[in-house]
């Protein structure tokens, strides 16, 4: 099991913007990638080879400005895990399951990576 703590990610809806030459990462996403990447480097988590199950615990802000969709928060940290080689890919051959929770004991997002087996991928 590998546990990683990262800053609260931007929503999938805010990762990219359209420009005259196509889509590109938003400034908010670029800033998060840099901050979260440094935090990931500081924690030095072990690489997890093969199929995995990911558990995301997102900081629960009980008084948000508007309702939030927890599943829109998964993409940025999942892509970061791939970019830094913590997991091999984020397709169905590697990520066999995903669970996402609101958690008032967490700051940002806590990611738990478990090797997939019959019990965790069921």
């Amino acid at each position: 099991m590998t546990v990683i703590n990262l800053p609260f990610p931007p929503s999938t809806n805010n990762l990219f913007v359209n420009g005259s030459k196509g889509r590109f990462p938003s400034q908010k996403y670029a800033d998060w990638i840099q901050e979260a990447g440094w935090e990931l480097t500081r924690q030095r988590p072990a690489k997890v080879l093969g199929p995995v199950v990911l558990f995301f615990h997102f900081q629960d802000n009980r008084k948000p400005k508007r309702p939030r969709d927890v599943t829109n928060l998964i993409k940025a940290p999942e892509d970061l895990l791939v970019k830094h080689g913590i997991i091999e890919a984020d397709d169905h051959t590697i990520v066999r399951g995903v669970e996402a929770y609101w958690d008032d004991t967490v700051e940002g997002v806590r990611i738990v990576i478990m090797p997939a087996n019959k019990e965790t991928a069921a």
Side-chain angles (χ1 to χ4, degrees):
M1 173 174 72
T2 300
V3 179
I4 299 166
N5 294 292
L6 297 175
F8 197 87
S11 167
T12 299
N13 299 327
N14 299 315
L15 299 184
F16 296 94
V17 295
N18 294 318
S20 60
K21 296 183 181 186
R23 292 174 55 81
F24 55 93
S26 68
Q27 187 61 52
K28 184 175 184 178
Y29 185 33
D31 292 346
W32 182 85
I33 289 171
Q34 183 175 5
E35 180 184 5
W38 281 114
E39 184 58 30
L40 196 58
T41 300
R42 187 187 69 74
Q43 292 178 42
R44 298 172 37 186
K47 296 180 187 318
V48 182
L49 300 177
V52 298
V53 176
L54 302 175
F55 300 87
F56 294 91
H57 296 259
F58 294 98
Q59 178 179 344
D60 190 0
N61 179 356
R62 297 206 183 262
K63 295 182 181 179
K65 294 177 184 173
R66 62 188 182 282
R68 300 199 73 148
D69 181 345
V70 73
T71 59
N72 278 347
L73 300 172
I74 294 170
K75 182 166 180 44
E78 187 179 50
D79 287 352
L80 191 76
L81 295 176
V82 174
K83 181 179 179 180
H84 284 261
I86 307 304
I87 62 174
E88 296 176 89
D90 59 0
D91 63 48
H92 76 285
T93 64
I94 298 299
V95 178
R96 302 301 296 160
V98 175
E99 293 185 25
Y101 304 93
W102 293 114
D103 187 335
D104 59 7
T105 67
V106 170
E107 280 192 39
V109 58
R110 177 173 296 136
I111 306 164
V112 179
I113 306 169
M114 300 283 294
N117 58 41
K118 290 179 184 174
E119 290 78 35
T120 58

